[in-house]
Amino acid sequence: MSSTILLIDLLGAAALLLWGLRMLKAGINHAFGPQLRRFLSLGTRNRFAAFGTGFVTTLGLQSSTAMAIMVSSFVAQGMVTPVMAQAVMLGANVGTSVVTQVLAFDLGWLAPAAILVGVIASGRQHRRTRGIGEAVLGAGLMLLSLKLMSEATLPMRDSEALAAFFALLGDAPIIAILLSAALAAASASSLAVVLLVMSLAAAGGIDAQLCLLLVAGANLGGALPPVLAASAEGPAARRVAVTNLVVRGLGAVILMFAIGWIVPLTSGYTNLGRLVVDAHVGFNIALAAIFLPLIGPLTRTLARVLPDKAIEGEYGPRHLDEAALADPPAALAAATRETLRIGDVVENMLEVSLGALKTNDEMLCQSIFPLDDKVDALEGAVKLYLARIDRTKMDDAETLQANAILDYAINLEHVGDIIERSLSRMTLKKIEKQLLFSEEGMQELEELYLDSIDNLQLAQGVFLSRDKRMARRLMESKVSIRHKEKISSSSHMARLQDGQIATLQTTEIHLDILRDLKRINAHLVSVAYPILEEAGMLRESRLRKT
């Protein structure tokens, strides 16, 4: 029983550490996120400036994982080159290890005051004040968790079973590294695992060799979540995350083979907890010293090993031919095909959204989120591709076509956002509260959903053919949607007046879905405007002359 309670105490302290770290990162992001991102995007003139930028920004964000995701996104958008991104990541790794040094001091006495100040400040209305409050509260929870973790690990020094386990783990360096890496990947934080190892080392039972191996494994595992998170950002972003993983992996392998020469150098440490945090800093400084001069060749090697087509996957573009960029007609045709593919994904999102709304299927509703990531990735790829077409070779008609492709891709991305950020959230709310629409209300919503899907298919045809008659039909459908939305709203109000329970419970969700479907159709119809305007079939205003 005592060992079970000890394990629960340790896991609870570790969970509180992760929660505090999450609050700290969220608070810093709310208070200073735009400034940090702007600082990051501007500070990549050379590899040393990029290294310093990554170091300083990570001191604010408190997470090299968040930095890896952010810089991968910047690479996907063309704001940062892959070489500079790797320099930023090397600086970020050192930055997060320095944060560990600060937290290693015995500052548990500050925890109550930090929590009190954080709770008061986080309740303020001002965004920055609230963000700073969240950050202070998160820091207080982290300090409290470290104190609890230290108390929970004290009895471990007398455990013979735990001592035997650590001895076996020290004799299996690969298993030790993989175990630590798995913990860091599962928690999405190398910082949290290093602090846990520090607490275990301070309690005794872990020798210097095992400390070094667990630190190397934590650094390796911390590079895994960005690889998964960057999967929706495109090949260039994924390559940045994979290169960072390779760098940390090579560092772990080097340390494992050199462990026999390194351990004697740690003989002066009487406190192995201090050794853990120093080793964390030393490991990342060594990686920076070794790989900062080599990031150019390393990036080019990874580009050959993982070319765009090899890692493109489901989320990457299929039709954007790089060789066609010098030939505007061919490039515009490629961009058109890719934009139609975005429309197909958005249509799938609408169908899934309707199915989840009708069946209260939470898993089906959750599947919308990766589809929206795919839409975002493809829309970003189309925008960058259009920006790289040689405009000097384009005539006026081709320029108009490029603008039409861009406008339609942006509108499709907006439709995806409405489905993901509003429709799916309302569906999840309906599922969580176990609500059901009235039979008439569900029929009205389903009819509008199906009309929206039909209009999306029609918009795809208009975009491809630029046919005036199809464009007119699409424009007329907007009027039909507006009328149906008004009729459904009136019918809904009539059911409210009749006191129907289902209508009373779902009134907010019903009216919000009507509003969102109307917005979706407005975005879809926009593809018809330039066609009808060019044909002289569009009035400037719907206002009557007085």
Side-chain angles (χ1 to χ4, degrees), residues 220-297:
L220 174 62
L224 286 171
V227 175
L228 301 176
S231 61
E233 296 288 348
R238 273 170 286 178
R239 196 155 41 231
V240 171
V242 170
T243 306
N244 181 48
L245 176 63
V246 169
V247 167
R248 295 200 194 187
L250 290 174
V253 170
I254 293 172
L255 184 141
M256 185 174 63
F257 282 105
I259 196 76
W261 291 282
I262 298 176
V263 169
L265 301 177
T266 66
S267 57
Y269 281 92
T270 57
N271 182 356
L272 291 185
R274 171 53 56 182
L275 170 63
V276 169
V277 293
D278 289 349
H280 188 34
V281 176
F283 181 85
N284 286 290
I285 290 177
L287 288 184
I290 295 171
F291 290 102
L292 192 59
L294 302 176
I295 53 176

Side-chain angles (χ1 to χ4, degrees), residues 92-112:
N93 296 338
V94 176
T96 193
S97 64
V98 170
V99 174
T100 313
Q101 285 280 354
V102 175
L103 293 173
F105 289 101
D106 186 12
L107 300 175
W109 55 274
L110 275 176

Side-chain angles (χ1 to χ4, degrees), residues 42 65 79 108 112 140 156 166 176 183 188 250 269 278 283 315 344 349 359 361 381 434 456 532-533 545:
L42 295 176
T65 301
M79 297 169 61
M156 290 184 176
F166 285 143
L183 290 174
L250 290 174
Y269 281 92
D278 289 349
F283 181 85
Y315 287 86
D344 291 339
M349 292 177 69
T359 61
D361 188 333
Q434 293 295 306
L456 174 55
L532 297 176
E533 188 174 12
K545 291 184 179 181

Side-chain angles (χ1 to χ4, degrees), residues 231 234-235 238 307-319:
S231 61
R238 273 170 286 178
D308 288 352
K309 293 297 181 182
I311 63 176
E312 187 177 82
E314 181 184 358
Y315 287 86
R318 296 176 182 172
H319 307 293

Side-chain angles (χ1 to χ4, degrees), residues 435-439 492 496 499-507:
L435 301 177
L436 292 174
F437 291 113
S438 65
E439 185 176 348
H492 179 78
L496 275 178
Q500 294 190 23
I501 299 300
T503 304
L504 287 169
Q505 292 176 335
T506 59
T507 178

